[in-house]
């Protein structure tokens, strides 16, 4: 039973905090020996399930992958293809909470998420469980290219 009641992509404050908490927990699993910049993501799907991911770096730097795409891969592999919201938490362990920036999804991840939301998902970028910014993906990826462009 999911603890999320998905309705019109609006989450309660408690649900947002639960999603951010899951992103922070995923961040703890990040493999970032090169940058030390650990990122976690928690992706809420329309069926109420949450999938998490963390950044995984690689000695061949370009082979690394972001937390957001890691979470999206988990979701799709489990049969969830309609994304509702994602929480992202990224900072170095040495950053005190007041020194943390906001780790917005990179361009590739914005495009990747758009495939399964048509821009209609919420993106919560957090410094902590209670300190975050909310955006719609469509505002982060203006005029995004998606399945509809291919008449799918
Ligand atoms: Zn990314």
């Amino acid at each position: 039973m999911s603890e999320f009641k998905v309705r019109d992509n609006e989450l309660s404050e408690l649900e947002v905090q639960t999603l951010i908490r899951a992103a922070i927990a995923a961040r703890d699993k990040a493999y970032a020996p090169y940058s030390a910049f650990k990122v976690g993501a928690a992706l809420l799907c329309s069926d109420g399930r949450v999938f998490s991911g963390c950044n995984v770096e690689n000695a061949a730097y370009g082979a690394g992958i972001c937390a957001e795409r890691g979470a999206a891969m988990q979701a799709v592999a489990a049969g969830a293809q309609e994304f509702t919201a994602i929480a992202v938490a990224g900072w170095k362990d040495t950053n005190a909470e007041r020194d943390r920036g906001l780790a917005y999804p990179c361009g590739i991840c914005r495009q990747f998420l758009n495939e399964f939301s048509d821009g209609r998902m919420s993106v919560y970028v957090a410094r902590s469980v209670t300190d975050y910014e909310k955006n719609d993906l469509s505002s982060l990826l203006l005029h995004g290219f998606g399945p509809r462009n291919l008449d799918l």
Side-chain angles (χ1 to χ4, degrees):
M1 186 70 183
S2 173
E3 53 201 313
F4 293 92
K5 289 189 178 124
V6 178
R7 46 197 162 345
D8 298 331
N9 285 18
E10 286 302 317
L11 302 181
S12 69
E13 181 63 26
L14 186 64
E15 289 171 323
V16 171
Q17 291 182 10
T18 299
L19 199 61
I20 292 171
R21 200 168 281 116
I24 293 172
R27 181 192 167 277
D28 289 339
K29 303 285 195 296
Y31 177 73
Y34 306 107
S35 73
F37 194 86
K38 297 180 179 178
V39 184
L43 176 64
L44 173 64
C45 296
S46 61
D47 62 6
R49 287 187 289 171
V50 174
F51 299 91
S52 60
C54 59
N55 59 329
V56 179
E57 296 181 348
N58 192 280
Y61 290 177
I65 190 165
C66 302
E68 298 92 323
R69 273 178 287 150
M73 297 292 286
Q74 298 257 17
V76 173
Q81 297 188 1
E82 191 177 339
F83 300 172
T84 299
I86 192 167
V88 183
W91 53 80
K92 291 187 175 189
D93 287 338
T94 52
N95 291 140
E97 187 175 325
R98 68 179 183 284
D99 298 330
R100 294 174 188 164
L102 290 167
Y104 273 85
C106 77
I108 296 171
C109 287
R110 294 176 195 200
Q111 179 65 38
F112 204 87
L113 295 170
N114 187 60
E115 182 77 15
F116 302 101
S117 66
D118 198 21
R120 292 188 303 268
M121 65 184 293
S122 301
V123 179
Y124 298 90
V125 184
R127 289 186 186 90
S128 72
V129 170
T130 55
D131 182 2
Y132 61 86
E133 290 184 2
K134 176 193 177 192
N135 286 272
D136 292 327
L137 181 62
S138 60
S139 69
L140 300 178
L141 187 70
L142 283 176
H143 310 294
F145 187 86
R148 284 196 298 168
N149 297 99
L150 300 176
D151 295 325
L152 293 178

